[in-house]
Amino acid sequence: MLDINFVRANLDLVRKKLEARGFPTEAIDRFNELDDRRRKLVSHRDDLNATRNSESQAIGKLMKAGQADQAESRRQAVRELGDRIAATAEELSAVEEDLKKLMTSLPNLPHESVPVGSDESANQEIKRWGTPPEFDFEPLDHVDLATSLGILDLERAAKISGSRFSILTGAGARLERALINFCLDLQTKRHGYTEVVPPFIVNANALFGTGQLPKFEDDLFKLTDERNLYLIPTAEVPLTNIYAGEILDAGQLPIKMTAYTPCFRSEAGSYGKDTRGLIRQHQFDKVELVKITQPEDSYEELEKLTRDAEAALEALGLAYRRVALSTGDMGFSVAKTYDIEVWLPSQSTYREISSCSNCEAFQARRAQIRFRRGPKAKPEFAHTLNGSGLAIGRTWLALLENYQQRDGSVIIPEALRPFMDGIARIEPQK
């Protein structure tokens, strides 16, 4: 959530940055109206209270002077003032509630380094690593390849759960588990993240804190009982909210956490997109990276977090590129995002495998995550960052496509073999 005092003091700047995001700037006009109305109501309430206090003092003096009749006549006026104060307070409460709802609907403001544009066409490529493989045969996509290997079953998954679910078996299931362990070991042993096993079900407050609620409820899977609980769309939600409502010591920062979790998304609005295979599933595995930092360090930490995610692809020998998302292509809660895109031979293009973002104080303000620089210092909002390190399903399919051989087998990259009990190749079913 944005700082309401910053919005008040910088209306033109906020309007310009929201416009760059493609967000309706009428919201700022509405903010101005509500904030002006709130200010007038507060002033009117204070004036009424002052008048009532003055009248109450006058009544007290009349009573002391033995002028009870005059005091009683003024009491009626004080009672009427009380009714007017109550009505004003009720109206003020309604205006403040409308203002709060409006503030929660405003997206984060893009950092000055973010490329300006209305959609993904304005994204800027930052770097490329590795060389996409060349084949002397027609490469298969991951669905045909994995089916022929006997390690993927989409039809039986649909029988059990419907479309956009999968069953991995044998070496396919082992490969998924190996990738999870590889990513966790890389981030904990080499990059210093603390591994966490968080809940996979969270409450509405947690989803509000990271920005999924109330705007994106249609993208979530909600439990049907009365507890108002949801399956997590990403480990970013429970990891970030571990410190919700807390005041940390500056010496604790940066906090660096990683977690494997299954993730659940309804993919509302994505019908017809990436319906084949594992690219866009309702349930998928992911290793997440989350940082909580001091404000002045967050952009340096974003660069480090992005490199930490890229290191996994480099160790696996998968060609990728890093892209800075434009203002019109960023997520609701973020101030800056890098997408890391892996090369997919079947599509002859790069596809997203990780998004690494700095949310600045946006999530911390919603979740009330603060820190103190010293024992008597005023609490400040921390900055929160997150990124995929990596999306396991997409890494799984990228490995199959990039390491496939003419005979239909798939080579296991050397960095992953210790997690596969030394298996060097997945062979076609006989």
Side-chain angles (χ1 to χ4, degrees), residues 51-89:
T51 301
R52 182 171 64 176
N53 290 339
S54 177
E55 283 296 298
S56 295
Q57 291 174 4
I59 290 170
K61 290 178 181 179
L62 289 171
M63 292 296 293
K64 286 182 179 180
Q67 297 174 325
D69 291 342
Q70 294 183 35
E72 184 57 35
S73 65
R74 297 184 74 162
R75 281 199 181 96
Q76 181 58 35
V78 169
R79 283 192 284 270
E80 292 174 0
L81 277 171
D83 292 340
R84 291 168 62 190
I85 290 169
T88 302

Side-chain angles (χ1 to χ4, degrees), residues 342-358:
V342 69
W343 178 259
L344 293 188
S346 67
Q347 300 182 16
S348 296
T349 191
Y350 292 92
R351 295 299 303 268
E352 178 201 337
I353 198 167
S354 172
S355 284
C356 300
S357 301
N358 186 355

Side-chain angles (χ1 to χ4, degrees), residues 199 201-213 220 228-230 232-234 236-242 244 363 366-367 369:
I201 296 174
V202 294
N203 58 34
N205 287 339
L207 288 158
F208 175 83
T210 44
Q212 283 80 13
L213 287 179
L220 304 170
N228 202 28
L229 297 173
Y230 299 78
I232 60 169
T234 166
E236 168 199 343
V237 178
L239 289 182
T240 304
N241 280 279
I242 287 173
Q363 292 179 330
R366 295 168 76 101
I369 303 170

